Amino acid sequence: MSPQAGTVVDAGGERVHVVETGPPGGPPLLLSSGLGGAWFDWRPSADLLDGAHRVAVFDRPGLGLSPAGRAAPSLRRETAILAGLAERAGGRVVVVAHSLAGFHAEAFARQWPDLVRGLVLVDPSYERDPSGGAWRPRFSRVATHPAAPRVQAPPRVSAAAVPATRALGAVVGATRIPWLAAPAGRRLAMRFLTRRRVPVPDGEVRAVYGRGTVLGGILAEELAYREMAADLAALRVRLPFPPVPLVVLTALGDVKDPAKAREWAEGHRTLAEMSPYGRQVELPTELHLLHVDRPDVVAEAVAEVLGRGEAGEEG
């Protein structure tokens, strides 16, 4: 992936920053970051993928180099953006989604199956109980049965809080402290999330994390997280997951509690079982930012998804 800044495009009623590389005729891939991530985090994976694929890495509204969102973060907004980018790509896409973006990718596949060729979920977010109550979501096709339990939605606060998060981000950004501290802060954070030290120019890091808009965007997504998890659980009740290839990559190296590691792995296994063509890959020693540390594993998963898709189409 080249270090160019990319372009800002219209997608799903929002304006998002997109960096595109690879041959125009290659299979289209959409790469989406987790909470607080930016387009340059995908550089190691994109460098392995863009020789044979048309790779589009995008920043959600208010993150990376994207302008602030017109709407508050929500499952509806994020899936509409994915649909707009898929239509812009001109065909069915493979979505490669990290962490929180796994919610968005799954919802997109359920709502727009005709635009989806397959999914690679990179250590995706998983919630046993998104409502905060006793109900445990079911992830298989059984969840489409009329008798499936209803989802108790958490209180809706994220949209109302957006003006406050934007104002707070603007105030903190105006101090110039984020601009000054961003490179060192990112390097410190990456020490806990990756083992591979992939340098990103300080200017690129400041252009992202020195912006008050990004600080506000991160806060807004954090507030919307539980709501998006509950909305996805409700969507699972209403819409089946399409029979498309799916690979779920599970990083366990930063889950120290054996019981929590088992729960995380079991949750990801259940996600993989959403599709008859799903498979889980457990990586016992790897950390959360797999697309930084193990771009080879991400590239292999993409190849598997595309290969299974082609075999299914021929069959």
Side-chain angles (χ1 to χ4, degrees):
M1 174 187 284
S2 78
Q4 65 196 28
T7 57
V8 176
V9 304
D10 292 306
E14 296 286 349
R15 299 277 288 164
V16 294
H17 170 250
V18 181
V19 176
E20 296 175 291
T21 56
L29 311 179
L30 296 181
L31 278 53
S32 184
S33 300
L35 195 153
W39 63 276
F40 47 61
D41 294 328
W42 286 99
R43 199 171 273 154
S45 293
D47 285 344
L48 289 184
L49 293 167
D50 64 11
H53 311 85
R54 184 60 177 166
V55 178
V57 186
F58 72 98
D59 296 320
R60 288 188 297 280
L63 301 181
L65 294 180
S66 291
R70 294 166 178 162
S74 68
L75 202 64
R76 180 190 298 271
R77 187 190 79 173
E78 314 317 333
T79 54
I81 290 171
L82 285 169
L85 291 173
E87 290 170 349
R88 182 174 179 272
R92 297 168 65 218
V93 299
V94 174
V95 181
V96 185
H98 176 245
S99 197
L100 169 65
F103 288 169
H104 313 152
E106 181 191 335
F108 169 60
R110 290 178 184 274
Q111 292 180 286
W112 281 279
D114 292 342
L115 294 177
V116 179
R117 190 168 180 177
L119 299 184
V120 176
L121 303 182
V122 183
D123 209 31
S125 294
Y126 165 76
E127 290 295 328
R128 289 169 58 95
D129 181 12
S131 67
W135 181 79
R136 178 175 178 175
R138 300 178 183 179
F139 295 94
S140 68
R141 289 178 179 271
V142 174
T144 63
H145 191 279
R150 293 181 179 273
V151 179
Q152 180 182 354
R156 298 280 163 166
V157 299
S158 62
V162 164
T165 59
R166 289 183 179 175
L168 179 59
V171 169
V172 176
T175 68
R176 301 285 285 173
I177 293 174
W179 189 88
L180 293 170
R186 182 180 186 275
R187 284 192 290 270
L188 178 62
M190 295 295 275
R191 291 182 61 182
F192 298 97
L193 297 172
T194 74
R195 292 194 176 94
R196 183 183 182 193
R197 301 293 176 255
V198 179
V200 176
D202 287 356
E204 289 185 357
V205 175
R206 286 192 171 105
V208 171
Y209 297 108
R211 297 171 59 211
T213 299
V214 171
L215 300 177
I218 292 172
L219 289 172
E221 282 203 343
E222 181 68 38
L223 288 173
Y225 175 89
R226 184 67 60 178
E227 296 171 12
M228 285 192 276
D231 287 344
L232 179 58
L235 191 66
R236 288 168 178 151
V237 175
R238 296 190 291 107
L239 296 176
F241 190 87
V244 296
L246 164 66
V247 176
V248 181
L249 304 178
T250 302
L252 296 170
D254 48 6
V255 186
K256 303 306 180 185
D257 184 329
K260 290 183 179 179
R262 285 195 301 273
E263 181 179 336
W264 191 246
E266 289 170 2
H268 282 188
R269 189 173 306 119
T270 309
L271 290 176
E273 291 171 354
M274 295 187 301
S275 170
Y277 309 107
R279 188 170 79 91
Q280 181 195 21
V281 179
E282 289 190 22
L283 301 158
T285 63
E286 301 300 333
L287 304 183
H288 187 50
L289 295 186
L290 283 171
H291 52 308
V292 176
D293 280 353
R294 295 298 305 275
D296 57 317
V297 174
V298 174
E300 289 168 4
V302 169
E304 178 178 336
V305 164
L306 288 170
R308 287 189 178 187
E310 290 171 357
E313 289 171 1
E314 291 174 1

